[in-house]
Amino acid sequence: MSESLKHECGVAFLRLRKPLGYYIEKYGTPAYPVNKMFLLMEKQHNRGQDGAGLASIKIDMKKGHQYIDRIRSIEEQPINHIFNKIGKKFTKAQKEGKKYYKGKWVKENVPFAGELFLGHLRYATYGANDVRFCHPLLRSSNWRSRNLLLAGNFNMTNAEELFSHLAELGQFPQEQGDTITALEKIGHFLDRENQHFYSQYQQEERAKLAFDVNPNGKNSTQEVQTQTQTLTNEEIITKLEQNIDWKKILQRSCNDFDGGYVMVGMAGHGDAFVARDPASIRPAYYYINDEVIVAASEKPAIKTAFNCDYSEIQELEGGHALVVNKKADYEIIKFQEPLEKKSCSFERIYFSRGTDPEIYNERKMLGRQLHHQVLDAIDHDLENTIFSYIPNTAETAFLGLVKGVEHHLIAQREKTLNPDESLSKEELMKIMSFRPRVEKLVIKDSKMRTFITGDAQRDDMVAHVYDTTYEIVRKGVDTLVVLDDSIVRGTTLEKSILTMLDKLEPKKIVIVSSAPQIRFPDCYGIDMSRQHEFVVFRALLALLEDRHLKYMLDDVYEKCLESKKQPLEKVVNHVKELYDMFEYEEVSNKVAEIISKNIKAEVKVVYQTVENLKKACPNHLGDWYFTGNYPTQGGNRVANQAFINFMEGKKVRAY
């Protein structure tokens, strides 16, 4: 994606299934789990660069010893900052010599030498870029089993309602964001579960005591006072820690969540869970063997850290949770009824690492399916066309596009090489040797920073963020085809890329997007909720004005306002009505017109179709930003609110 777009977050969870001494003996270091967490997080650093956090729990520590360690950072390289600080603690401990290789000593004396680990990478789609907002968040208690650490990749569309529900429960949260709300909601029901078992076991003990003391009703008061309970309070707490019902807690906590989420929680006594939203919007994968239980937002991170086969990495089903108890036993439980799977297709197009073999092949297919549209856009004049791409993440889709063009050439050769026609050796060689012209035309100078504050100066600086390879294009003859992952705002194309390419004096420039037209806001974790910023929406407004249909904006605005009075389950996305008035290609052509106002060359924009997106990513059908078909009702409300904000001139998020 040539434009900067904040998105997603990343989670990483690790549970050791054997004592720490086992890993010291086998791998030669007590830092084995910390090293694995570094790999899990570093291989997902693309998911969040605003901050990072790591927490660890040590099971069955003696009273008075710290058993929860947590560190968070918003430094420029937060992952390195965190692990450098942790590494210094292990390096210092090494000076103790042989003690360093004793699991019990390390656990008691070195921070982050625990059995459970929870890591998080943050992109700030809500809240300031403050270390207080970095996960994992901690809800503290003097009861081990009431301590809760929580981290996640999520965004709730109904954060205000969830906050109100907390208030109804008698709580007084200090923050209104969905992260704090989720923490307090789960924490509340964790408290209730603890209290329920504590009260139950105490009653059972009292009943036993009463029966033992006076089975026949003949014991004296003095005899009653000399009797003791079978279990002490401490033993009762140990017993309840073994019986906490996470299915019940998650059912009660998440029953009114509307959004996309993967949440990972760890209780202070050693239980943990990884829960995924019913529509599978946000990604979650896990891997389990005799030594570890691992979960992360992306498969390649698990593959790299543990050198397992991709076939051994499982996808967590929507509405289900991976629950790990204090003994490191696990089960998959259903805490919400799964909905139709609508996993985020943007993950496949851009966000996730392309080293995942499934994602790699899907991106190639996305590019390949564009070749018919591209050939039409260049009037099949391959001899005078140069193919390129921007940015580097678009390379895989670009390979697919070129492969599609090559297969087209093969088909054309079969038609041309008619055995009844005689061709000269030169003609035959020309046909057989012709290949699409592929060049590296666009290069991003990642060190260039647009630090100047004035608008005019900033635009001038933006125009130089990208550079090009000169003396390749034949002036006035060649057509340039440049593939991008997606086009969101169009400002980088308008202010930088097209201006730069136009200086090469091509005959025509074709901008190709491997994603369909982005028409609607996201509300599940990607930072694109302001309707007015989308270049496709700007194209829609221009088309309405051209056709003298601007009054339709007021009609839809009134419908959106009215929808705010309706129950959530009855809210529909009224903004879709505006797009339904125009053909797909009409919108694409208007986008080309908008971004090429000062460009001399002819400019055309080609977008992926929604139909071809589904063919390329058949198992990941979350396409609401392209179609307006949201997987939860809260999405419809956000779409309407984004439009209301536009009509009222409010440049704020719609959730």
Side-chain angles (χ1 to χ4, degrees), residues 298-353:
E298 295 193 32
K299 284 184 180 181
I302 299 175
K303 165 69 175 175
T304 299
F306 295 93
N307 195 30
C308 55
D309 292 335
Y310 270 103
S311 59
E312 297 177 289
I313 304 172
Q314 305 298 313
E315 182 176 4
L316 185 61
E317 187 179 347
H320 286 68
L322 166 64
V323 176
V324 185
N325 67 18
K326 182 178 178 179
K327 295 180 180 179
D329 297 323
Y330 70 93
E331 62 176 331
I332 305 294
I333 58 106
K334 182 174 74 173
F335 67 94
Q336 293 286 302
E337 200 60 41
L339 302 174
E340 181 184 359
K341 186 179 180 184
K342 292 288 185 178
S343 46
C344 174
S345 58
F346 245 130
E347 286 277 352
R348 325 303 289 183
I349 297 169
Y350 171 69
F351 293 145
S352 292
R353 280 180 173 260

Side-chain angles (χ1 to χ4, degrees), residues 130-163:
D130 189 306
V131 73
R132 294 181 302 114
F133 295 101
C134 285
H135 301 192
L137 299 180
L138 173 62
R139 192 175 190 265
S140 298
S141 171
N142 274 341
W143 288 35
R144 286 184 308 191
S145 53
R146 292 193 182 196
N147 277 292
L148 177 65
L149 285 153
L150 185 72
N153 169 17
F154 60 87
N155 205 80
M156 304 299 174
T157 69
N158 60 336
E160 291 183 7
E161 288 93 333
L162 295 175
F163 181 86

Side-chain angles (χ1 to χ4, degrees), residues 199 201-212 229:
S199 300
Y201 294 148
Q202 274 201 327
Q203 288 174 2
E204 290 175 359
E205 291 305 310
R206 292 194 188 103
K208 287 179 186 177
L209 182 61
F211 181 79
D212 291 341
Q229 289 177 267

Side-chain angles (χ1 to χ4, degrees), residues 236-421:
I236 288 175
I237 290 174
T238 300
K239 186 178 178 180
L240 77 82
E241 288 179 348
Q242 298 169 356
N243 291 284
I244 291 176
D245 188 344
W246 285 101
K247 180 176 181 179
K248 183 167 68 174
I249 292 171
L250 292 173
Q251 283 176 333
R252 293 179 174 182
S253 304
C254 305
N255 66 340
D256 54 358
F257 285 179
D258 188 291
Y261 59 85
V262 169
M263 290 185 291
V264 187
M266 301 193 307
H269 67 286
D271 283 359
F273 67 85
V274 182
R276 192 180 189 191
D277 67 87
S280 304
I281 295 170
R282 299 270 69 88
Y285 301 93
Y286 65 92
Y287 166 70
I288 300 171
N289 65 16
D290 292 339
E291 295 183 352
V292 295
I293 298 174
V294 186
S297 296
E298 295 193 32
K299 284 184 180 181
I302 299 175
K303 165 69 175 175
T304 299
F306 295 93
N307 195 30
C308 55
D309 292 335
Y310 270 103
S311 59
E312 297 177 289
I313 304 172
Q314 305 298 313
E315 182 176 4
L316 185 61
E317 187 179 347
H320 286 68
L322 166 64
V323 176
V324 185
N325 67 18
K326 182 178 178 179
K327 295 180 180 179
D329 297 323
Y330 70 93
E331 62 176 331
I332 305 294
I333 58 106
K334 182 174 74 173
F335 67 94
Q336 293 286 302
E337 200 60 41
L339 302 174
E340 181 184 359
K341 186 179 180 184
K342 292 288 185 178
S343 46
C344 174
S345 58
F346 245 130
E347 286 277 352
R348 325 303 289 183
I349 297 169
Y350 171 69
F351 293 145
S352 292
R353 280 180 173 260
T355 51
D356 184 319
E358 291 181 359
I359 292 176
Y360 180 82
N361 288 324
E362 288 169 3
R363 289 180 182 174
K364 280 190 72 175
M365 182 59 70
L366 284 168
R368 184 166 181 167
Q369 289 179 328
L370 283 161
H371 83 273
H372 290 298
Q373 293 168 260
V374 171
L375 287 170
D376 289 341
I378 64 173
D379 299 321
H380 290 253
D381 184 11
L382 288 170
E383 192 169 345
N384 298 308
T385 298
I386 298 175
F387 292 86
S388 193
Y389 62 90
I390 180 174
N392 289 340
T393 50
E395 183 177 6
T396 306
F398 178 74
L399 293 175
L401 172 60
V402 173
K403 185 67 68 175
V405 173
E406 288 175 346
H407 276 266
H408 166 77
L409 286 171
I410 291 171
Q412 292 301 109
R413 289 182 191 127
E414 290 176 353
K415 294 178 182 179
T416 305
L417 299 177
N418 190 325
D420 296 331
E421 296 182 9

Side-chain angles (χ1 to χ4, degrees), residues 53 117 182 250 278 379 486 521 529 590 615 622:
F117 293 83
L250 292 173
D379 299 321
S486 59
S529 68
K590 184 56 72 171
K615 291 176 184 177

Side-chain angles (χ1 to χ4, degrees), residues 322-578:
L322 166 64
V323 176
V324 185
N325 67 18
K326 182 178 178 179
K327 295 180 180 179
D329 297 323
Y330 70 93
E331 62 176 331
I332 305 294
I333 58 106
K334 182 174 74 173
F335 67 94
Q336 293 286 302
E337 200 60 41
L339 302 174
E340 181 184 359
K341 186 179 180 184
K342 292 288 185 178
S343 46
C344 174
S345 58
F346 245 130
E347 286 277 352
R348 325 303 289 183
I349 297 169
Y350 171 69
F351 293 145
S352 292
R353 280 180 173 260
T355 51
D356 184 319
E358 291 181 359
I359 292 176
Y360 180 82
N361 288 324
E362 288 169 3
R363 289 180 182 174
K364 280 190 72 175
M365 182 59 70
L366 284 168
R368 184 166 181 167
Q369 289 179 328
L370 283 161
H371 83 273
H372 290 298
Q373 293 168 260
V374 171
L375 287 170
D376 289 341
I378 64 173
D379 299 321
H380 290 253
D381 184 11
L382 288 170
E383 192 169 345
N384 298 308
T385 298
I386 298 175
F387 292 86
S388 193
Y389 62 90
I390 180 174
N392 289 340
T393 50
E395 183 177 6
T396 306
F398 178 74
L399 293 175
L401 172 60
V402 173
K403 185 67 68 175
V405 173
E406 288 175 346
H407 276 266
H408 166 77
L409 286 171
I410 291 171
Q412 292 301 109
R413 289 182 191 127
E414 290 176 353
K415 294 178 182 179
T416 305
L417 299 177
N418 190 325
D420 296 331
E421 296 182 9
S422 59
L423 296 172
S424 67
K425 184 177 180 180
E426 290 75 14
E427 290 173 324
L428 184 60
M429 285 297 294
K430 182 178 180 181
I431 293 171
M432 296 302 295
S433 64
F434 183 79
R435 296 288 185 276
R437 293 170 62 195
V438 175
E439 302 288 354
K440 182 72 174 178
L441 276 180
V442 184
I443 302 164
K444 185 174 183 180
D445 186 348
S446 59
K447 296 180 181 179
M448 179 78 73
R449 297 183 183 275
T450 55
F451 54 86
I452 296 177
T453 55
D455 289 342
Q457 294 94 332
R458 187 189 299 113
D459 286 348
D460 183 59
M461 292 295 289
V462 167
H464 297 286
V465 169
Y466 289 89
D467 205 348
T468 187
T469 307
Y470 296 93
E471 304 302 327
I472 291 176
V473 178
R474 294 175 296 178
K475 297 179 180 180
V477 176
D478 286 335
T479 293
L480 308 183
V481 173
V482 180
L483 177 72
D484 198 347
D485 299 292
S486 59
I487 305 169
V488 184
R489 304 178 185 95
T491 50
T492 304
L493 282 172
E494 183 178 359
K495 304 290 185 183
S496 177
I497 296 171
L498 280 174
T499 301
M500 175 191 65
L501 293 175
D502 195 46
K503 291 178 180 178
L504 302 177
E505 300 183 38
K507 175 184 176 184
K508 186 176 184 180
I509 303 171
V510 180
I511 301 296
V512 185
S513 170
S514 66
Q517 297 170 2
I518 297 173
R519 299 179 164 197
F520 301 93
D522 182 75
C523 53
Y524 304 120
I526 305 171
D527 187 17
M528 49 183 203
S529 68
R530 301 174 183 88
Q531 188 81 62
H532 69 278
E533 293 182 347
F534 303 150
V535 68
V536 170
F537 184 72
R538 289 158 54 199
L540 172 67
L541 297 178
L543 286 169
L544 289 169
E545 184 159 1
D546 290 347
R547 310 288 171 81
H548 306 290
L549 295 170
K550 286 193 71 176
Y551 66 89
M552 290 297 299
L553 295 172
D554 294 319
D555 290 348
V556 171
Y557 173 62
E558 293 299 327
K559 291 179 181 179
C560 290
L561 287 176
E562 189 64 28
S563 73
K564 297 180 72 171
K565 305 174 185 177
Q566 298 174 335
L568 183 60
E569 62 273 12
K570 292 187 177 181
V571 175
V572 298
N573 181 359
H574 293 292
V575 187
K576 292 170 69 174
E577 299 172 25
L578 296 172

